[in-house]
Amino acid sequence: MSDLDIDQSTEIAALYYLQEVTQEELARRYNMSRSRISRVLKRAREMGIVSIQVRANPNLAWQFEAEFQRRFGLTKLLVAINQPSEEAQRSTTGALVAAYLDQILTDGMTVAVGMGRNVASITEAPSSPTPRKVIFAPSIGGSVHGGAATLNPDHIARRLEERFGGRSKTLYAPAIVATRELKEALLRNETVKETLDCARRADVALVGLGDLSEDSNLIRMGLFTPQELTQARVAGTVGDVMGHDFISIDGRSVGGMIEGRVIGLSLQELRGINNVIAIASEATKTAIILGALRTGAINTLATSLANAAAVIALDDATKT
C-alpha cells in the first residue's frame, strides 16, 4: 500500500473504524495530512482490510425469516437492503452470502458451485481473513457463448478458492449437449464423473434462480433463444433452478427442450445436499423464488427486502 506497510495501514483502519479515532487525530498521531489518512482508509477498503456492510433492519429481517420458516420450512433467510440498480443489488446480496459462508464453512467441507451473475457476486466481496481447506466443485457444465466466461461454474469456483482458500475442481463439459446419448457418454467419462460426484457429496450448494426475461443468463450464455423462452412461459414455466431445472410457480418440474441433455446435478440431487443456498436479487425473480421455495429443495435464501415482501404477497395470492 504505497509506502505504508499492511500492518500500519491495518492499525490506522482499526483505530478509525473500531475505536472511532477521528481522521484529524490520526493525522496528528502519524504525522500525515488528513487527505493522506483518507486515502489510506479508502485503500484499506479496496484491499479487503476493511469490510463495510449495511444490514437490513434486524427486527424486520427476523420477522421475514420467521415467516419464511413457517411457510416454506426455510432454515435461513439472508435479507439485503433494497438498492437502486440490479448490479448494486447483486453486489449487496452477494456480500451477505459471502459473510454467511465465512460463518459456516469449515475445513473439510465441499461446496457445489452453480452458474450465473448472482452466484458470481459472492466472489466480489473482500477476501476472507481466515483461509480454510474447502473444495469448490462445479455442479453444472459451462458455455463459451455470449461472453459468459465469468458466469461459468468453473470460473466462479476458482474465484471462490481465491477468496476462501482451499481448492477448486474443473468440470470439463458443456452445460447442455445435443442428445441424451451424448450426455450419457460424457457422464461415463471419468474426469466428468469425478467432479460431479464430488458436487453430489457437497455439504453446501450455491445455486442461482433464473427468470425467463430476455436478460436471463440462459440467453446471455447462448443456451436458449428468446422464442424458446416465450414457449416455456406459455407452458407455465416461471424460471429455472441451477440454470436448467424448469419449474412452475407451484414448484413442479416442467419438461422442456433440454430435458435429458444437461450435464449437471438435478433438482432431486440437490435435495440430498444439507444446505442449498439460492441467491436471487433481481426484482424480476419473485415468481421463480416462490416456485423454488415450493420445491422443498432450498434451505437458505438470499434476496432483497422488496423480494421477500413480494414473495409473501404472491404466496398468499396463489394458494389454492
Side-chain angles (χ1 to χ4, degrees):
M1 183 181 288
S2 68
D3 58 335
L4 290 182
D5 60 29
I6 296 296
D7 290 341
Q8 189 175 33
S9 300
T10 302
E11 181 180 298
I12 291 172
L15 288 170
Y16 181 73
Y17 289 105
L18 301 180
Q19 299 186 29
E20 299 184 348
V21 177
T22 67
Q23 291 189 28
E24 185 175 354
E25 174 60 25
L26 288 170
R28 284 197 296 268
R29 286 194 194 185
Y30 290 92
N31 193 28
M32 300 179 190
S33 65
R34 281 193 60 181
S35 61
R36 188 176 179 207
I37 290 293
S38 179
R39 289 195 299 273
V40 169
L41 294 171
K42 180 176 183 294
R43 184 68 176 134
R45 294 194 300 272
E46 292 172 347
M47 293 185 66
I49 294 172
V50 174
S51 175
I52 299 175
Q53 293 184 356
V54 180
R55 299 185 182 275
N57 181 308
N59 291 330
L60 186 58
W62 180 86
Q63 290 171 8
F64 272 130
E65 183 168 60
E67 188 63 17
F68 273 66
Q69 288 171 341
R70 183 183 72 81
R71 290 177 183 244
F72 310 112
L74 202 68
T75 302
K76 183 73 176 175
L77 178 67
L78 303 172
V79 186
I81 61 171
N82 299 327
Q83 297 289 345
S85 70
E86 286 191 350
E87 184 178 352
Q89 194 68 66
R90 279 191 291 269
S91 179
T92 303
T93 307
L96 277 184
V97 178
Y100 175 60
L101 291 173
D102 278 330
Q103 296 173 23
I104 67 170
L105 292 184
T106 57
D107 288 353
M109 280 189 168
T110 297
V111 179
V113 181
M115 65 166 61
R117 288 171 289 184
N118 280 279
V119 180
S121 70
I122 301 168
T123 68
E124 298 168 6
S127 297
S128 171
T130 309
R132 61 213 81 191
K133 298 176 181 177
V134 178
I135 297 174
F136 297 97
S139 54
I140 185 172
S143 171
V144 297
H145 300 292
T150 59
L151 308 182
N152 279 323
D154 280 357
H155 178 88
I156 297 171
R158 288 190 292 271
R159 292 287 307 279
L160 290 169
E161 174 191 348
E162 292 171 6
R163 189 198 182 280
F164 292 99
R167 60 190 179 92
S168 61
K169 289 183 171 290
T170 299
L171 181 56
Y172 296 101
I176 301 172
V177 294
T179 65
R180 291 173 182 264
E181 292 75 18
L182 183 53
K183 171 189 172 178
E184 295 304 320
L186 277 171
L187 291 181
R188 289 192 296 270
N189 178 275
E190 283 301 317
T191 303
V192 173
K193 184 177 183 301
E194 194 275 336
T195 298
L196 286 178
D197 282 347
C198 183
R200 291 185 183 98
R201 296 190 300 269
D203 305 279
V204 176
L206 302 172
V207 304
L209 304 179
D211 58 33
L212 296 182
S213 70
E214 294 192 5
D215 188 47
S216 73
N217 286 331
L218 297 175
I219 291 179
R220 292 168 65 91
M221 298 181 77
L223 303 178
F224 290 94
T225 66
Q227 292 76 20
E228 288 172 327
L229 290 190
T230 298
Q231 292 171 9
R233 284 194 292 268
V234 171
T237 305
V238 294
D240 68 86
V241 179
M242 278 269 295
H244 63 84
D245 260 307
F246 293 109
I247 59 173
S248 63
I249 199 166
D250 59 3
R252 291 185 296 106
S253 292
V254 179
M257 298 77 67
I258 61 171
E259 195 170 10
R261 298 192 286 118
V262 176
I263 308 298
L265 269 57
S266 67
L267 194 59
Q268 185 58 39
E269 288 172 320
L270 282 180
R271 292 190 178 97
I273 295 175
N274 184 55
N275 189 1
V276 177
I277 304 172
I279 309 106
S281 60
E282 297 86 352
T284 57
K285 295 188 174 179
T286 303
I288 179 57
I289 292 172
L290 178 57
L293 290 170
R294 287 173 171 175
T295 67
I298 307 302
N299 308 101
T300 299
L301 172 67
T303 193
S304 67
L305 275 171
N307 278 349
V311 168
I312 289 174
L314 186 60
D315 184 46
D316 287 337
T318 56
K319 281 181 177 175
T320 55

